[in-house]
Structures are given as structure tokens and as C-alpha cells.
Amino acid sequence: MPFTELGLAPELSRAVAEQGYETPTPIQLQAIPAVIAGRDVLAGAQTGTGKTAAFVLPILQALAQGAAGRAPRALVLTPTRELAAQVAESARQYGRHTKTRICVVFGGVSINPQIDALRAGCDLLVATPGRLLDLAGQRALDLREVRHFVLDEADRMLDMGFIHAIRQVLKLLPERRQNLMFSATYSDDIRELARRLLRDPVSVEVAPRNATADRVEQRAYRVPKEHKRHLLAHLIRDGGWHQVLVFTRTKHGANRLAEQLAASGIATAAIHGNKSQNARVRALSEFKSGKITALVATEVAARGLDIKELPFVVNYELPNVPEDYVHRIGRTARAGGAGCAISLVAPDEGGLLKDIERLLRRSLQITATPEFVVTQEPRSAPRPAAPPARASQPKHPPARHPRPSGRSFGSQGGRRFGSSRG
Ligand code: AMP
């Protein structure tokens, strides 16, 4: 079915066509008519399904029909700054032929320009909870005109401890409004939140939640923890990868790995919650433009990142929560494309791998680990802020083989490591 049959106004259909979208995705097909009809919606959909357009388009349509004042008439709450910025950017694209005024507010940056923007008038506001409550507390924001409320990535909101903030926000909204809730997973807490928030909702479920996972080529390598970075560097160089998103479990781990990859000559940046907003935006844009090859991220920082045609995702460490695996690999193979997700599995991560396989209802293919070079860190290497990882001490004798493709693997040369077994 073409977009034109979803009941969208011509200026929205035009913007959609300019984005190059030919047909609606399943979530759009189901959600757009329901939202246009004014229904509350509970949608089970993860990033990459086209969920943003599924709620932004019909809301833009409703806004264009109503009378604009100064206060926002639609509010989208997101868990992270990146997602807020991305949703606002999409809304600006989709709303480019309408007069809708779109504002975005999140923490980590100066509040004054946000206050000024809201004063100038806003129809659709995209916000993270903390800054939203700040602005409301300072009376810089009036939420009483909100008629459409979207809770995006509700599961992640709860994971991040935003339940109290959400309740506070809800108190500031008028009783009569349309509510849309998006969540990639359903826990009891999510169901409870949905029960409180939504009135007679239309439930929309796009495919089982591992549908994206099915389109992604998934590989796992067994590798000792201390050799992971060498294997990763090898995979990046040997495979000629130009864009890879690497997940670590901790901020500290992200920093350390970024420094190690950079030291071995791979253009790398890290993004996580301790980085300033500006540093995160810069890293992301350099990654998107191809200036940076590897972006090392924590789960939370990478949530909702939309990088077009991201070819590789690496689970440097397996996530503790198996659902996060699906979120992570959903960064690749977006909107129908193909992608490759690679997991580096240390001996003590076998249990986590089992949990993931249980969720996916299939086993992950263990690929024979390729031979790779384990390097000693040169003593003169710049000392990272965090304690440097100990150089690995492989039990194998030093390599006699020439280094692959003549690249330098560190001033002290390297050793080969690898196994032909799975
Ligand atoms: P989302 O799930 O909202 O993060 O969207 C994932 C990606 O799909 C974004 O890059 C969108 O630009 C893209 N997208 C959204 N709707 C469509 C569509 N109908 N056809 C093709 N791509 C789309």
C-alpha cells in the first residue's frame, strides 16, 4: 500500500516521498491510521522499524489542523539526548512543508537558548525528562496545551530510572489527550505503565521482536578477554571495515578500548554518558561522515542512534540483559537493509550467550577465530586516563610470519594468536 492511502495530507506525503520512502513499514501501516483516528496506541517496535515516522507523521497532521498558540500541543518524551535530537530532526524533515514549529530540549547543554526557543512558540516539543521538568519548574514551559503525548522507548525510560520523572510530567499534562507508547520489550512494569497511561489502546505489534535479528548476519568468536582488542583491530583492518559501532558494557571500558584502537591506528571515538553533549554530537557526526572508523559506545549512549546503512556492529562484551543484544544488533540492517553483527565471547560469557540464544530461539553461529596479531603496547604510548590494560602475554611463540598487509602493529612487533577451531 502506498503512503497516499494512509490518509496523510499532501504536504506530508510529499515530504515522505522526498525522503525516498516508497511504501510504509509495517508499524507505519498499522499505527498511522489509528493515530489519525485519535486512538491511543501501544506499539511494540524497536528502532529501525520506522517507528518515528509512525507517530510523527500523524501528529504533524493533527497539529496542522489545529490552531497554533505559543505552548506545545504535542510532546514526545525520549530517554536519551541523541534520540531526542534524532526525533526532532526527523520531525523537521517530515514537517518541512508544514508550518509546524518543532523544538527539542535536553540536558547537558545551556538552558537559555531552549527557553528562548520555547518563548518564540512551539507546536511539537521533543524532550528528555530531566530538562523538561527543569523548564516546567522555571515556568519557561506550559504543558497544559498538550493534546498528543508520546512516550518513546518506554522500556529504556524505565531501565534508566525515569519512572518518577514520567509521573511528574504526566501531572503537568491535561487530562484530555491522546497517548502513544512505544516499547521494544514488554515487562510487567511496562504493562503497568501502559495500563495507567493509555485509554482503550490499539495494540500494534510489528513482527516478533527478533525480526530485525533475522535479517542480520550474526557471528560469534570465542576469544579470551585480553585478546579481544587485538582480534577487533584485526577484523577491522583485515575486513577493510570503514564503519563499525562497538558496544562495551561500561563507560570506562569504552574509553579504554577507544584509546587502544586509536593507538593501533584506527580512527576511533567513544560516546557515553560522561562525555559532554558537544563531544557526543561531534563523535557521532564524524562517525557518520566517515572520518571515524570505529565508534565505541555504551548501551545507553547508543540507544536510538540512527546511522544509515551501518554495516557492522560488534558486541565487544555481551550484554547482561539478552534483550539488549537485539537492540544492539538492530543498529545495523535498518529499514530493510542487510548488516553484520559480531560478538566476541570470552570464556566467562558463555552463560550470557546462552541467554541470548534462548531469547532468539536459535543458536548463534560460532565462527572459527582467524589468526591475528597480539601486540605489546609500546612503552612510550600516551598514558590513558584510565589504568592501561596489561599487554597480553600469549603463550604462543613469537610470530615468524610477516605482518598482514605490511601495517605496523606497534613498535615492539606482534605475536600471532588464533585458533582454527570454533
Ligand atoms: P526509526 O525506526 O524511526 O528509527 O527509523 C529507522 C530508519 O528507517 C530511519 O533511517 C528512517 O529514515 C527509515 N525509514 C522510516 N520509514 C521508512 C519507510 N517507509 N521506508 C524506508 N525507510 C524508512
Side-chain angles (χ1 to χ4, degrees):
M1 187 200 274
F3 267 102
T4 42
E5 283 174 39
L6 285 181
L8 289 174
E11 60 269 27
L12 294 175
S13 297
R14 200 171 126 211
V16 161
E18 285 164 358
Q19 290 292 307
Y21 306 168
E22 285 166 6
T23 49
T25 64
I27 183 85
Q28 293 162 0
L29 213 51
Q30 296 177 62
I32 290 174
V35 182
I36 287 179
R39 298 287 303 271
D40 278 11
V41 171
L42 174 63
Q46 61 195 58
T47 318
T49 52
K51 70 180 167 73
T52 312
F55 63 79
V56 165
L57 286 169
I59 286 178
L60 287 173
Q61 173 129 324
L63 292 175
Q65 285 161 1
R70 210 165 66 171
R73 290 173 292 143
L75 172 65
V76 180
L77 217 49
T78 74
T80 63
R81 306 156 185 184
E82 283 78 10
L83 184 59
Q86 220 162 261
V87 169
E89 176 54 30
S90 298
R92 290 195 177 113
Q93 292 295 332
Y94 302 143
R96 61 202 287 194
H97 302 303
T98 69
K99 295 205 176 72
T100 319
R101 296 159 302 174
I102 292 149
C103 290
V104 57
V105 298
F106 44 70
V109 294
S110 164
I111 200 168
N112 291 328
Q114 297 176 353
I115 293 175
D116 292 344
L118 291 170
R119 282 223 175 97
C122 169
D123 301 303
L124 168 62
L125 176 62
V126 187
T128 53
R131 181 54 63 91
L132 185 81
L133 289 171
D134 252 11
L135 286 160
Q138 294 187 28
R139 306 209 174 281
L141 174 63
D142 176 4
L143 293 174
R144 287 171 303 180
E145 298 302 318
V146 170
R147 296 290 177 269
H148 312 273
F149 173 62
V150 182
L151 197 58
D152 197 9
E153 304 206 342
D155 48 351
R156 188 55 41 162
M157 291 264 199
L158 297 191
D159 288 351
M160 290 173 70
F162 282 139
I163 185 65
H164 181 66
I166 293 171
R167 288 207 190 107
Q168 295 297 108
V169 172
L170 291 178
K171 280 188 202 152
L172 302 174
L173 302 181
E175 275 286 305
R176 261 197 59 216
R177 57 169 202 267
Q178 180 179 37
N179 299 290
L180 315 177
M181 181 165 149
F182 287 75
S183 184
T185 55
Y186 287 115
S187 61
D188 289 346
D189 288 343
I190 285 290
R191 281 180 224 283
E192 172 61 18
L193 183 60
R195 202 183 52 76
R196 283 194 200 190
L197 179 66
L198 306 171
R199 244 174 256 168
D200 183 27
V202 175
S203 277
V204 174
E205 183 78 39
V206 294
R209 63 176 169 227
N210 59 356
T212 305
D214 289 343
R215 281 206 316 276
V216 180
E217 181 197 341
Q218 296 168 70
R219 267 188 263 154
Y221 292 110
R222 291 203 187 274
V223 58
K225 201 173 180 163
E226 65 274 20
H227 288 154
K228 282 187 176 184
R229 63 199 167 96
H230 304 290
L231 174 58
L232 178 58
H234 170 82
L235 290 171
I236 292 173
R237 269 195 289 246
D238 204 55
W241 297 0
H242 59 91
Q243 203 182 37
V244 51
L245 180 60
V246 184
F247 284 96
T248 59
R249 230 180 269 148
T250 64
K251 299 168 190 174
H252 175 67
N255 278 342
R256 195 171 51 191
L257 178 62
E259 278 157 5
Q260 289 164 341
L261 288 177
S264 62
I266 293 164
T268 310
I271 56 167
H272 51 69
N274 286 0
K275 294 261 178 184
S276 73
Q277 179 61 15
N278 286 343
R280 288 157 77 171
V281 169
R282 190 174 55 238
L284 188 60
S285 90
E286 290 186 346
F287 184 57
K288 284 185 177 180
S289 72
K291 211 167 148 192
I292 282 172
T293 302
L295 186 64
V296 186
T298 54
E299 193 73 38
V300 164
R303 265 307 272 194
L305 288 188
D306 180 26
I307 300 148
K308 287 220 160 61
E309 289 158 29
L310 177 61
F312 295 99
V313 167
V314 169
N315 293 302
Y316 190 74
E317 287 142 342
L318 290 186
N320 288 326
V321 183
E323 277 84 2
D324 285 346
Y325 175 86
V326 180
H327 288 147
R328 287 179 177 192
I329 73 167
R331 317 291 81 220
T332 180
R334 320 266 293 159
C340 180
I342 288 170
S343 299
L344 307 187
V345 186
D348 64 354
E349 292 177 302
L352 297 174
L353 183 65
K354 283 249 148 50
D355 291 345
I356 292 166
E357 293 180 331
R358 210 169 294 134
L359 177 74
L360 297 177
R361 289 197 210 98
R362 68 169 188 193
S363 57
L364 279 185
Q365 185 199 340
I366 302 280
T367 308
T369 309
E371 270 200 357
F372 59 95
V373 175
V374 173
T375 51
Q376 308 275 341
E377 232 94 78
R379 289 227 172 273
S380 57
R383 237 183 123 71
R390 256 177 291 136
S392 48
Q393 300 292 336
K395 293 179 188 78
H396 306 273
R400 275 186 227 113
H401 310 269
R403 290 172 207 150
S405 62
R407 284 176 196 258
S408 166
F409 271 62
S411 61
Q412 299 195 4
R415 298 169 177 213
R416 291 167 77 89
F417 177 85
S419 84
S420 51
R421 276 173 300 120

